[in-house]
Amino acid sequence: MQTKPLRIGTRGSPLALAQAHETRDRLMAAHGLPAEMFEIVVLSTTGDRVTDRALSEIGGKGLFTQELEEQLTSGELDMAVHSSKDMPTVLPDGLHLSAFLPRADVRDAVIGRSAPTLMALPHGATVGSSSLRRQALIRRLRPDITVITFRGQVETRLRKLAEGQVDATLLAVAGLNRLGKTGIVTEFLDPAEFPPAPAQGAICIECRIDDIRINALLDAVNHRPTYDAVTCERAFLAALDGSCRTPIAGLALTEGDALFFSGMILTPDGQTVHRIAIDGKTAEAANLGRKAGEEVRAIAGSGFFEGWI
């Protein structure tokens, strides 16, 4: 019988809190538990505190997860809620991604100040983005545009945009939906032309591998199609040693027990691009992602990665 509140770890941004509350609400519904049986524990991460430099300069994706994972490992937290695209491909010993909530919109969105669409921005416009993938894709479509690193919470980036620091910025549609801000979008980008980051739009829940009780609780809210798709995309990323230093895009779609994956790697200037597509069974999701990563790496050649991984 559960008597102590389950401790759910999260970062403190409005988006992270929205994701933690969605996780709590789904667990409440799945198990008939009242809200008081859950405690949302807010932790500040290094990635939240250091916002004046690119992630690649200060250590990569793990800066958004380290403090949460330390408390998971020590038993102070029962689970931690993350944006899946923020998760490193290698997790600390003893931890795993136990469940994924149903995936939201995978697209990127333009929020334009001087023009509504990426292609309509004036020659030489400035676009702010913290993502090397978005930066490379912007440069691929609009080599004339100046792209600057633009970190901070969604609200911070929108304030910088309103102040005129840039002509436009790009954000994930899923995050804007969760914050109730979809109305500010001036252009939804087609994933075929502007593919998302691996695992974009999916909320994941991390816990201890050996915690049978918590894993059983989370199994009830795990969305299998999202689990399979993100497993494939993360395997693709892992095969390419993907991190915040590498412009990599990937999207897996499932249909019954069939899985279709398409991936892309780019140079940071967006001028050299290699694509890969593969399909198979959802049961082979991890193998398919790894195979796609190995194949596109072989196509690109070792010289492709020199100087930017």
Side-chain angles (χ1 to χ4, degrees), residues 19 30 32 56 67 123 187 202 219 233 250-251 267 283 285 302:
Q19 294 178 162
S56 57
E67 287 84 352
H123 184 86
E187 180 185 20
D219 189 58
E233 293 164 22
L251 179 62
T267 48
S302 58

Side-chain angles (χ1 to χ4, degrees), residues 28 50 52 59 75 93 112 121 138 162 171 200 244 250 258 290 296:
M28 286 168 56
V50 182
D52 60 342
D93 289 343
L121 286 169
I138 292 166
L171 293 167
Q200 184 157 310
C244 285
R290 185 174 63 250
V296 79

Side-chain angles (χ1 to χ4, degrees), residues 133-303:
R133 172 191 60 88
R134 289 178 183 142
Q135 291 178 359
L137 287 168
I138 292 166
R139 291 178 180 127
R140 175 170 170 262
L141 295 170
R142 289 289 307 271
D144 63 294
I145 281 179
T146 298
V147 186
I148 65 170
T149 299
F150 211 52
R151 287 199 53 222
Q153 297 178 8
V154 170
E155 293 77 6
T156 304
R157 299 186 209 188
L158 294 177
R159 175 180 53 76
K160 291 178 179 178
L161 175 67
E163 290 172 352
Q165 294 186 28
V166 292
D167 294 289
T169 189
L170 272 64
L171 293 167
V173 174
L176 292 170
N177 282 342
R178 290 176 183 131
L179 291 170
K181 293 182 179 293
T182 316
I184 68 172
V185 173
T186 58
E187 180 185 20
F188 293 95
L189 293 167
D190 182 352
E193 187 71 21
F194 207 99
Q200 184 157 310
I203 296 170
C204 65
I205 311 166
E206 186 179 23
C207 71
R208 293 179 292 279
I209 294 171
D210 62 1
D211 194 325
I212 297 170
R213 179 178 64 97
I214 296 299
N215 278 285
L217 281 169
L218 293 176
D219 189 58
V221 298
N222 183 41
H223 186 248
R224 193 71 209 190
T226 300
Y227 186 100
D228 292 333
V230 175
T231 295
C232 177
E233 293 164 22
R234 283 175 54 78
F236 176 70
L237 202 58
L240 291 165
D241 299 319
S243 72
C244 285
R245 298 183 298 277
T246 57
I248 297 172
L251 179 62
L253 301 172
T254 63
E255 194 173 294
D257 66 351
L259 184 146
F260 308 89
F261 174 80
S262 59
M264 175 192 287
I265 59 174
L266 309 88
T267 48
D269 63 6
Q271 297 310 297
T272 303
V273 177
H274 296 285
R275 294 177 180 266
I276 189 78
I278 195 169
D279 61 82
K281 299 294 186 183
T282 53
E284 307 168 308
N287 287 335
L288 289 168
R290 185 174 63 250
K291 183 180 178 185
E294 291 169 350
E295 288 185 7
V296 79
R297 177 182 278 278
I299 291 167
S302 58

Side-chain angles (χ1 to χ4, degrees), residues 1-132:
M1 183 72 178
Q2 178 71 34
T3 54
K4 288 198 317 182
L6 294 161
R7 290 170 62 83
I8 302 173
T10 179
R11 294 160 59 196
S13 72
L15 178 56
L17 289 170
Q19 294 178 162
H21 281 94
E22 180 178 341
T23 301
R24 181 202 64 183
D25 293 348
R26 287 181 180 273
L27 285 167
M28 286 168 56
H31 299 288
L33 293 170
E36 55 264 28
M37 289 312 301
F38 297 90
E39 180 185 355
I40 293 178
V41 180
V42 177
L43 295 178
S44 173
T45 70
T46 305
D48 293 314
R49 293 190 296 271
V50 182
T51 60
D52 60 342
R53 284 171 285 165
L55 286 178
S56 57
E57 296 176 14
I58 57 173
K61 293 182 179 182
L63 295 171
F64 285 126
T65 60
Q66 182 179 341
E67 287 84 352
L68 291 162
E69 289 173 333
E70 287 172 352
Q71 292 211 11
L72 268 180
T73 300
S74 69
E76 294 171 77
L77 293 175
D78 294 299
M79 63 191 79
V81 178
H82 309 279
S83 294
S84 299
K85 71 174 183 178
D86 288 341
M87 297 303 291
T89 54
V90 178
L91 302 180
D93 289 343
L95 302 181
H96 72 151
L97 303 184
S98 179
F100 293 86
L101 302 187
R103 194 174 203 168
D105 198 320
V106 302
R107 293 176 295 175
D108 284 311
V110 175
I111 299 93
R113 185 179 57 84
S114 57
T117 70
L118 196 58
M119 298 311 291
L121 286 169
H123 184 86
T126 300
V127 176
S129 175
S130 62
S131 158
L132 290 193

